[in-house]
Amino acid sequence: MSIQESDSTPEMLARLGLKSDKDRLIEACENLHDLVYIYVSSTNTIFRLLQVHHGTNFPIMPVKEHFSIKENLQLVVSALKEMQATVETKDKDLQGSISHSLYAKIADPTTSLQDKIAAVKEVYENYKEVVESITGTLIAVMLKHGNLPDTVESAVHQLLSSPALSLQVSELLVEYADILKILQQYETPSTTEGSSSLSETSQQLRLHSPPSPTSLFVFLQTILQGHRSIKKSQKIAADYLEEAFRVLKPPCEGFQTFVKTVEACILAITDN
């Protein structure tokens, strides 16, 4: 069966190594944009749960579009650390009020959702007269031992040398023409790499004035050092962005799973 006749979805093309660097670059930008929003949204969900069940008043965080990826994630880390410091007392209160084995099941991030819910129900049934605000206290314990700021901070630390984290969030949903406009400023005229249509597009874009020094401009300028072809530069830029997404995605998915676990445990209590 020919490629045209087979499944030609982006995922299949990627497995076959046929996805263009242009598509990789745009897709990686979009993925990182979504990731920043998921991190901030998950943080805000936790803050709302704490406000309802623990009486805290953490402000809802907006994504700062004109801040870089790194700056937005550092704000998430700072907010999560402040949250952990706030729930410290509640965590100690529960640890001293219930059995060690039951506390360990609730506090251990590796405990399965089923076992954690069972432990939560047991606390509710046997200790509700001893522990004030069962729901708020259980949330506090899970947050205290969820290692959320550490996992996010570790991922950011792995990418400190990557220029990808310097990109402003607002520039991640960029049009390809804007990327090409920057790349063509540095392309060596004599290069033979790329298609004729790409060369024609570059020649047309040279008629426009140079772009302003945005974070995207600085990012691509860093990559262009020593590379004077659009084709090569696109590949390197896509590599950087995909690596950033690869590193940041697992802790983000873990964060989402954690939030769902907390919500499930709250539901287990409220259903009683």
Side-chain angles (χ1 to χ4, degrees):
M1 180 182 291
S2 66
I3 293 177
Q4 288 80 4
E5 294 171 331
S6 64
D7 183 0
S8 59
T9 63
E11 292 80 6
M12 176 62 75
L13 292 175
R15 288 196 294 271
L16 294 173
L18 299 178
K19 184 179 291 188
S20 70
D21 291 328
K22 167 189 170 182
D23 290 340
R24 291 175 56 225
L25 183 56
I26 297 300
E27 183 177 325
C29 282
E30 292 173 351
N31 286 340
L32 285 170
H33 181 274
D34 291 346
L35 211 60
V36 172
Y37 270 85
I38 292 170
Y39 268 117
V40 173
S41 175
S42 296
T43 302
N44 287 333
T45 297
I46 290 296
F47 286 174
R48 291 188 183 98
L49 291 174
L50 281 172
Q51 183 174 6
V52 172
H53 299 286
H54 193 32
T56 58
N57 192 29
F58 291 109
I60 297 303
M61 295 176 57
V63 173
K64 296 187 179 297
E65 286 274 345
H66 297 295
F67 281 32
S68 68
I69 299 172
K70 178 183 175 182
E71 289 169 328
N72 272 281
L73 293 182
Q74 286 176 330
L75 287 173
V76 167
V77 170
S78 296
L80 292 175
K81 285 184 175 180
E82 183 181 354
M83 173 203 70
Q84 280 201 319
T86 300
V87 301
E88 182 89 32
T89 301
K90 284 288 186 181
D91 172 66
K92 289 181 178 178
D93 286 346
L94 189 64
Q95 188 172 6
S97 301
I98 66 176
S99 69
H100 175 74
S101 60
L102 198 55
Y103 174 85
K105 286 181 181 179
I106 297 170
D108 188 351
T110 64
T111 301
S112 69
L113 177 58
Q114 183 177 359
D115 289 344
K116 198 177 289 286
I117 289 176
V120 167
K121 287 183 176 180
E122 187 174 343
V123 169
Y124 180 78
E125 292 168 359
N126 299 327
Y127 296 95
K128 60 183 176 182
E129 301 300 328
V130 179
V131 181
E132 182 182 358
S133 180
I134 288 286
T135 307
T137 303
L138 291 174
I139 293 173
V141 173
M142 293 172 69
L143 289 174
K144 173 61 181 175
H145 298 276
N147 299 320
L148 298 179
D150 292 341
T151 56
V152 181
E153 193 169 35
S154 176
V156 172
H157 184 73
Q158 289 183 56
L159 296 166
L160 285 181
S161 62
S162 172
L165 289 196
S166 66
L167 282 167
Q168 288 182 5
V169 174
S170 62
E171 294 187 54
L172 291 172
L173 298 182
V174 66
E175 296 291 335
Y176 178 67
D178 294 327
I179 295 175
L180 189 61
K181 184 177 181 180
I182 296 173
L183 291 174
Q184 58 83 30
Q185 299 292 328
Y186 294 90
E187 183 188 21
T188 301
S190 61
T191 183
T192 57
E193 290 190 84
S195 65
S196 59
S197 61
L198 191 60
S199 296
E200 290 171 5
T201 304
S202 294
Q203 290 172 6
Q204 292 172 0
L205 288 170
R206 284 195 183 94
L207 299 176
H208 299 280
S209 58
S212 58
T214 61
S215 72
L216 178 63
F217 180 89
V218 174
F219 169 66
L220 294 174
Q221 189 179 43
T222 301
I223 290 168
L224 284 160
Q225 302 301 320
H227 303 287
R228 295 305 188 190
S229 78
I230 290 178
K231 184 176 180 181
K232 182 68 174 178
S233 300
Q234 282 185 144
K235 180 184 183 306
I236 295 172
D239 288 345
Y240 271 119
L241 292 167
E242 287 179 341
E243 172 65 8
F245 180 68
R246 184 191 68 79
V247 172
L248 293 171
K249 183 182 178 182
C252 184
E253 290 180 337
F255 198 163
Q256 286 183 297
T257 299
F258 175 83
V259 171
K260 290 178 181 178
T261 300
V262 173
E263 291 176 321
C265 288
I266 292 173
L267 186 62
I269 295 174
T270 56
D271 278 349
N272 279 293

